[in-house]
Amino acid sequence: MPMAARPPPARPHIGINPANRFSSYSVAEWVDDDAWDSGSDSESPTKTAWKRQASTSTAPKAVPRTAQNNSSSSTLASSYTHLHAPSPSSYPPKFEVQPPRNGWTIVNKQGGNRRNSEVHHDTESIQEEAADVELEGDMVVGELDPEDPEDVAAPLTVSGKPKPDKSAIREDVDEIVNDPLHLARRSPKRRRSSRSQYDSSVHEGSEKLIRERSIKSNRRDKFIQCIIHDDVDMAQLRKLAWNGVPSDLRAVAWPLLLGYLPLPASSRAPTLVRKRQEYLSLVELAFARNREGLDQQIWHQIEIDVPRTRPGVKLWMHGSTQRSLERILYVWAIRHPASGYVQGINDLVTPFFQVFLSAYIDSDPEEFDPSLLPENVLNAIEADSFWCLSRLLDGIQDNYIATQPGIHRSVKRMAELVARIDPPLSAHLESENVEFMQFAFRWMNCLLMREISVENTIRMWDTYLAEGPDAFSQFHLYVCSAFLVKWSKKLREMDFQGIIMFLQSLPTQGWGDHEIELLLSEAFVHYSTWHNAQSHFGK
């Protein structure tokens, strides 16, 4: 029987109880500084298997913090903490869902993040209108079933917020855990057809909508054929992924693109079993000596940053999610002593966790409480997130070692690149004494995740993963440059203070897939123009 992931030492923090009220969250088994004594844990610490504990709304006893006053800890601090702690204001605010009127909500699906523009690579002919397609556009949502996994919505409460419910958990979670190809084989939910939908107002522009639907269906079919092949053609998968991966297939496509899952189909399920068990063993080993056995410098910074991850998003306020994030970050840090834990790495876990969580539920992952999932499912999500994070960081680890040379190098190259792309903007920034390090450091360290939503990041990472292992360092440089140049006209009208304030709070809250795809297209143009230029960057 696979081991269950051991919860790390608990500490008082703000969380959400089942009634969705703000309260002090605790894990019942730790109520004092001795993390796993016989009086606070349901099982003896000598046992090799333990259970994930459910959250409780009972206020915990205070847990004393270990003093950090020795000289060695202060010396190590610079290795682990290179940034100021993230501020909630540094994240794009999440839009509130308005309550439905009379049980109905009008949804505009022609723009925003419902677009799936073909911006690059896919030049193949598109299948013509399918015989049985369903229209998209201004659509009434309420009593009709969603047409595909992207449109699945959780039940709404009177406040307009989706209500976490066990009914949101898919019935085939065990199949998904055991067989990643099940994601490609299962059929997406489709909206029930109704002739009343096809009135004259919907038929206006129907040819365009039918074609868009045909493109979307055709691309999904191509993904499925590629993924279920006995030996995946990586070149084809990268070509398809550049323009975005269907949301219900990311949980299998991303691990393939990262090299976490092997390309031969027959090897994938055994690999997942082995890697997930290996992660659980790492957790067991890391926390085997209780709290006093932890690296206190690393643990102290993690326990500060975890509650600040994605502030205001319910998923990251739930105790079960925070415990998973703590385990992922701590195990990664002790396995990579050259860098340890650095603020910003916590943000990089969130796209992976949400992508893998989405595979098992039929609701918005940002509104879901993972503690409702079966234990083996939550263990799988946590382990898969850990290994994919590790693969990503392998390519940009010099961003997080002492002095962070990778980030400094990227910021310097970005300044040189912008000087070539937009000389007037570069000259204006220089005349106002604006240094790129003042705003671009965060863009490199957090991969723009403080500037755009997780949903936008997930779409952007489809393209990054398609570009290859260097994309998070090389291609990201061109994305950041295109991102800055996008605001060129406004920035050239501002003084130093206005520029810094604007770049720290960019108007990207309403961005969707369309805006991200335009940004990626601009970045690709710059990449194609400058990346291989011999005299592009100074040595």
Side-chain angles (χ1 to χ4, degrees):
M1 178 180 298
M3 290 187 294
R6 183 176 216 163
R11 60 227 165 27
H13 68 277
I14 298 300
I16 296 180
N17 65 15
N20 288 329
R21 298 192 306 269
F22 287 103
S23 64
S24 182
Y25 172 88
S26 71
V27 179
E29 68 273 28
W30 291 291
V31 293
D32 55 27
D33 194 45
D34 187 5
W36 291 292
D37 63 5
S38 59
S40 62
D41 200 352
S42 60
E43 296 184 74
S44 168
T46 60
K47 295 182 179 180
T48 57
W50 15 247
K51 301 292 182 182
R52 187 189 301 273
Q53 298 296 323
S55 61
T56 175
S57 58
T58 306
K61 298 179 182 179
V63 180
R65 296 186 186 275
T66 304
Q68 302 293 327
N69 56 3
N70 58 73
S71 59
S72 60
S73 295
S74 61
T75 302
L76 289 172
S78 61
S79 298
Y80 299 128
T81 308
H82 310 309
L83 303 175
H84 294 296
S87 166
S89 63
S90 66
Y91 293 87
K94 180 177 171 60
F95 280 125
E96 300 295 329
V97 180
Q98 295 300 320
R101 298 178 181 178
N102 301 323
W104 300 89
T105 303
I106 304 300
V107 180
N108 188 337
K109 298 192 64 186
Q110 296 183 21
N113 61 3
R114 296 303 186 194
R115 293 186 186 180
N116 194 5
S117 304
E118 300 292 315
V119 297
H120 176 60
H121 285 319
D122 198 349
T123 57
E124 298 181 30
S125 60
I126 301 168
Q127 292 180 351
E128 294 301 321
E129 289 79 355
D132 182 21
V133 294
E134 297 176 9
L135 301 180
E136 295 185 15
D138 290 338
M139 179 181 70
V140 178
V141 179
E143 296 182 359
L144 302 177
D145 289 340
E147 64 181 350
D148 58 43
E150 295 187 49
D151 298 324
V152 177
L156 293 178
T157 63
V158 291
S159 65
K161 297 276 190 176
K163 181 180 179 181
D165 191 340
K166 283 193 174 182
S167 64
I169 302 174
R170 294 188 62 100
E171 296 179 354
D172 54 352
V173 292
D174 289 333
E175 289 86 346
I176 300 170
V177 169
N178 296 325
D179 179 13
L181 288 179
H182 183 76
L183 291 169
R185 296 191 187 103
R186 71 183 185 185
S187 300
K189 287 191 173 183
R190 303 188 66 84
R191 186 170 66 235
R192 290 194 299 268
S193 60
S194 172
R195 285 197 167 274
S196 62
Q197 299 174 55
Y198 302 99
D199 56 19
S200 58
S201 63
V202 176
H203 274 299
E204 294 180 4
S206 60
E207 290 185 5
K208 177 182 177 181
L209 299 175
I210 289 174
R211 182 169 179 80
E212 288 178 354
R213 175 60 182 170
S214 179
I215 292 171
K216 184 177 180 180
S217 176
N218 181 47
R219 291 192 68 250
R220 188 176 187 279
D221 290 343
K222 288 181 179 180
F223 265 102
I224 291 175
Q225 291 304 314
C226 179
I227 290 171
I228 65 175
H229 199 272
D230 289 342
D231 195 356
V232 172
D233 183 340
M234 182 57 73
Q236 182 187 16
L237 182 59
R238 292 190 190 281
K239 179 181 176 181
L240 292 169
W242 211 102
N243 294 307
V245 180
S247 61
D248 62 318
L249 299 178
R250 283 193 177 107
V252 63
W254 278 22
L256 287 168
L257 290 166
L258 280 163
Y260 171 44
L261 280 181
L263 299 182
S266 59
S267 303
R268 293 177 203 165
T271 298
L272 278 182
V273 172
R274 176 174 56 82
K275 298 298 286 186
R276 288 167 178 171
Q277 184 60 42
E278 181 180 348
Y279 170 72
L280 293 175
S281 299
L282 292 172
V283 173
E284 168 76 21
L285 180 63
F287 294 96
R289 295 174 56 197
N290 306 338
R291 165 166 280 192
E292 61 270 19
L294 302 178
D295 183 310
Q296 297 302 317
Q297 181 65 37
I298 296 176
W299 180 252
H300 176 68
Q301 191 60 53
I302 289 174
E303 71 174 1
I304 290 174
D305 287 355
V306 164
R308 295 171 174 170
T309 302
R310 308 307 306 176
V313 178
K314 284 187 176 181
L315 171 64
W316 299 102
M317 297 170 71
H318 286 296
S320 58
T321 321
Q322 294 186 3
R323 300 291 79 74
S324 289
L325 184 55
E326 287 169 348
R327 283 187 289 268
I328 290 169
L329 295 175
Y330 186 78
V331 172
W332 187 88
I334 62 175
R335 281 172 55 86
H336 298 82
S339 60
Y341 171 71
V342 177
Q343 291 170 346
I345 296 179
N346 56 314
D347 288 319
L348 304 186
V349 181
T350 58
F352 293 120
F353 196 93
Q354 288 188 204
V355 162
F356 291 121
L357 173 61
S358 297
Y360 300 96
I361 62 175
D362 283 332
S363 65
D364 181 358
E366 292 195 349
E367 300 287 345
F368 187 78
D369 181 359
S371 67
L372 299 174
L373 292 167
E375 185 179 30
N376 67 318
V377 173
L378 190 50
N379 283 343
I381 294 171
E382 185 178 321
D384 294 345
S385 299
F386 170 82
W387 290 117
C388 287
L389 173 71
S390 298
R391 288 278 182 169
L392 184 156
L393 290 175
D394 283 347
I396 55 174
Q397 192 169 350
D398 62 346
N399 284 8
Y400 303 104
I401 61 177
T403 73
Q404 298 178 272
I407 291 180
H408 287 270
R409 183 170 57 251
S410 294
V411 172
K412 180 176 181 291
R413 289 180 173 178
M414 179 182 170
E416 295 170 349
L417 180 59
V418 171
R420 289 161 171 79
I421 297 174
D422 192 337
L425 174 60
S426 179
H428 180 69
L429 295 178
E430 184 176 357
S431 68
E432 292 295 330
N433 296 316
V434 176
E435 297 181 4
F436 276 69
M437 192 64 70
Q438 293 170 312
F439 60 88
F441 186 93
R442 188 173 78 180
W443 296 5
M444 301 296 176
N445 188 77
C446 300
L447 300 180
L448 287 176
M449 290 194 65
R450 301 285 173 85
E451 283 61 45
I452 60 178
S453 68
V454 175
E455 292 90 339
N456 291 163
T457 300
I458 288 171
R459 170 59 193 91
M460 191 160 67
W461 285 15
D462 287 342
T463 299
Y464 281 23
L465 294 173
E467 278 290 328
D470 294 333
F472 289 90
S473 57
Q474 298 297 321
F475 189 68
H476 182 67
L477 165 66
Y478 294 88
V479 171
C480 289
S481 300
F483 190 63
L484 178 64
V485 170
K486 177 179 177 61
W487 316 106
S488 177
K489 183 177 179 181
K490 290 184 178 181
L491 292 171
R492 284 185 278 119
E493 297 172 352
M494 299 177 181
D495 60 8
F496 174 87
Q497 184 177 4
I499 291 170
I500 296 301
M501 291 182 65
F502 179 78
L503 291 177
Q504 288 180 346
S505 183
L506 289 164
T508 54
Q509 297 89 347
W511 276 26
D513 282 0
H514 180 63
E515 289 77 12
I516 294 298
E517 287 164 358
L518 288 177
L519 176 64
L520 292 168
S521 296
E522 288 293 330
F524 183 78
V525 171
H526 299 321
Y527 181 84
S528 301
T529 303
W530 297 105
H531 187 62
N532 293 320
Q534 294 297 321
S535 59
H536 174 22
F537 294 129
K539 294 182 179 179

